């Protein structure tokens, strides 16, 4: 898959079928739209294209907004390539771009620059200045350009709840429902970073941990608690069973959130290496223990539960 950044001098010559959106997480609903893009492109002999943004639009208008991304741009690109997308166009979301009406965007960018012949939108997707126009407007503008505009239905879980990035963020950040992600995302939720020195408290307790520093500060961290996870080092294919604690370490009067991964096998010195964790299940919420002995006793139970869960996985 080729990736390009949109600029005034970009011109794509090959006619294409395209869709546009943030596609954060590339979840089941997004995948439905993208399959329609690739199927339509194959049927018409055109190039399947995804157009996305270099940031969430809200970041431009609300400086205080701190995004909780389900996927980094690099992760998003990998997911899209696996779905058969041949070209990814990344749009710098600027004030000038945000000021474009939907009609002008379709004419100047989609039609003249990107040679879009078919535009596919999600069931609730809106674009253009203030998102004031909707699907019927897009169809009308497209007809004037000779561009077909199609719309996908919502993808629903259990026939009721529409799959959306907003709902997935809530499930993860507020409830820690990582076990639902293979259904909502069609894969486990993952978090990557590098291993940095910690305070060695876990080692003193008999549960040495790798302290994870996320490589992207905007990536969503699931709710505080203890999790069963699979861990991989430096992108290796071999995954290792692990127990992860996300939280403030209240037993030790912690004042900042830490991400600590206890790998259930001997791995030696791994400081500085890149670690990826794939979340499987949340065991419990983080809580304060009366003393170290009580904490260690609980950690032993947690480890047994993690081994049971991952052995079953």
């Amino acid at each position: 898959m080729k990736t390009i950044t949109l600029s005034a001098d970009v011109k794509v010559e090959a006619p294409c079928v395209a869709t546009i959106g943030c596609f954060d997480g590339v979840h089941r609903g997004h995948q439905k739209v993208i399959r329609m893009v690739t199927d339509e492109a194959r049927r018409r002999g055109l190039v399947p294209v995804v157009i996305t943004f270099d940031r969430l639009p809200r970041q431009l208008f609300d400086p205080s907004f701190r995004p909780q991304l389900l996927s980094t741009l690099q992760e998003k690109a990998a997911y899209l390539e696996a779905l058969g997308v041949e070209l990814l166009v990344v749009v710098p979301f600027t004030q000038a771009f945000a000021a474009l009406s939907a009609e002008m965007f379709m004419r100047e960018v989609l039609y003249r620059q990107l040679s879009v012949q078919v535009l596919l939108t999600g069931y609730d997707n809106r674009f253009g200045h203030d998102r004031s126009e909707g699907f019927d407007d897009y169809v009308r503008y497209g007809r004037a350009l000779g561009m077909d505009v199609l719309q996908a239905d919502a993808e629903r879980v259990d026939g009721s709840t529409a799959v959306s990035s907003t709902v997935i963020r809530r499930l993860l950040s507020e409830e820690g429902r990582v076990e639902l992600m293979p259904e909502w995302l069609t894969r486990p939720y993952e978090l990557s970073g590098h291993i940095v020195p910690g305070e060695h408290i876990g080692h003193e307790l008999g549960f040495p941990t790798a302290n994870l520093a996320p490589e992207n500060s905007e990536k969503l961290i699931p709710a505080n608690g203890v999790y069963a996870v699979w861990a991989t080092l430096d992108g290796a294919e071999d995954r290792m069973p692990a127990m992860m604690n996300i939280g403030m370490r209240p037993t030790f009067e912690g004042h900042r959130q830490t991400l600590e991964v206890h790998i259930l096998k001997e791995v030696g010195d791994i400081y500085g290496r890149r670690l990826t964790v794939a979340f499987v299940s949340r065991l419990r919420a983080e809580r304060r223990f009366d003393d170290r002995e009580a904490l260690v006793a609980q950690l032993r139970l947690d480890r047994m539960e993690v081994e049971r869960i991952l052995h079953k996985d």
Side-chain angles (χ1 to χ4, degrees):
M1 183 183 73
K2 182 179 180 181
T3 300
I4 61 174
T5 300
L6 186 70
S7 63
D9 58 354
V10 164
K11 180 69 171 82
V12 174
E13 300 294 344
C16 65
V17 179
T19 185
I20 180 170
C22 293
F23 298 106
D24 186 27
V26 193
H27 56 60
R28 261 179 57 179
H30 297 145
Q31 291 170 31
K32 180 177 183 177
V33 174
I34 292 162
R35 280 195 299 270
M36 290 179 64
V37 168
T38 56
D39 289 348
E40 194 70 18
R42 189 181 304 109
R43 188 175 71 83
R44 301 191 186 211
L46 304 177
V47 177
V49 174
V50 167
I51 304 163
T52 193
F53 309 118
D54 65 344
R55 72 192 79 180
L56 297 182
R58 184 177 169 185
Q59 291 178 262
L60 178 68
F61 304 112
D62 182 2
S64 66
F65 173 63
R66 296 294 176 265
Q68 292 186 304
L69 298 178
L70 299 173
S71 58
T72 65
L73 184 58
Q74 183 179 12
E75 291 169 338
K76 186 191 303 185
Y79 300 148
L80 293 172
E81 183 173 22
L83 290 168
V85 174
E86 294 181 18
L87 175 64
L88 176 62
V89 180
V90 180
V91 178
F93 200 86
T94 62
Q95 291 284 358
F97 179 80
L100 290 176
S101 67
E103 182 179 15
M104 184 173 293
F105 171 71
M106 289 180 66
R107 183 180 68 247
E108 300 300 326
V109 178
L110 298 186
Y111 180 71
R112 292 184 177 173
Q113 284 193 264
L114 301 181
S115 302
V116 175
Q117 288 193 2
V118 182
L119 175 66
L120 266 155
T121 72
Y123 76 99
D124 63 347
N125 190 21
R126 286 176 177 263
F127 55 84
H129 182 64
D130 289 338
R131 301 176 61 180
S132 57
E133 296 153 295
F135 179 71
D136 290 343
D137 299 303
Y138 310 152
V139 171
R140 187 171 71 256
Y141 303 149
R143 189 178 298 120
L145 298 168
M147 181 192 302
D148 293 335
V149 181
L150 311 175
Q151 186 177 46
D153 296 328
E155 180 74 3
R156 299 184 182 277
V157 174
D158 298 327
S160 56
T161 305
V163 177
S164 73
S165 301
T166 299
V167 174
I168 293 172
R169 288 189 198 100
R170 177 181 57 77
L171 289 170
L172 288 173
S173 65
E174 297 179 15
E175 304 176 29
R177 298 295 302 278
V178 297
E179 76 282 358
L180 298 179
M181 293 307 104
E183 181 177 13
W184 287 71
L185 292 174
T186 71
R187 62 183 180 277
Y189 183 69
E190 293 187 346
L191 187 64
S192 297
H194 286 83
I195 300 168
V196 298
E199 298 179 20
H200 305 289
I201 293 176
H203 184 80
E204 295 172 4
L205 297 175
F207 290 84
T209 59
N211 290 271
L212 186 67
E215 59 190 9
N216 188 318
S217 62
E218 295 181 345
K219 186 77 184 281
L220 182 146
I221 297 173
N224 288 355
V226 178
Y227 294 85
V229 302
W230 289 108
T232 56
L233 284 167
D234 303 322
E237 292 185 5
D238 293 338
R239 60 182 189 174
M240 301 173 290
M243 178 168 71
M244 183 173 187
N245 184 80
I246 300 175
M248 307 296 290
R249 297 186 300 181
T251 303
F252 301 98
E253 307 296 339
H255 298 291
R256 63 180 181 86
Q257 186 184 58
T258 60
L259 287 68
E260 300 172 292
V261 183
H262 172 62
I263 300 173
L264 276 58
K265 60 179 286 187
E266 182 62 42
V267 291
D269 183 5
I270 55 175
Y271 285 125
R273 296 177 66 178
R274 186 175 186 267
L275 180 72
T276 297
V277 293
F279 290 86
V280 177
S281 181
R282 186 175 188 244
L283 277 65
R284 60 178 176 84
E286 185 183 44
R287 63 186 179 90
R288 182 188 182 95
F289 292 87
D290 293 335
D291 51 43
R292 291 189 176 214
E293 289 72 22
L295 172 57
V296 169
Q298 181 61 55
L299 290 175
R300 288 174 180 154
L301 294 175
D302 291 340
R303 176 170 175 144
M304 291 173 59
E305 180 66 4
V306 167
E307 289 174 333
R308 185 193 67 80
I309 291 170
L310 298 182
H311 180 73
K312 182 178 66 175
D313 186 47

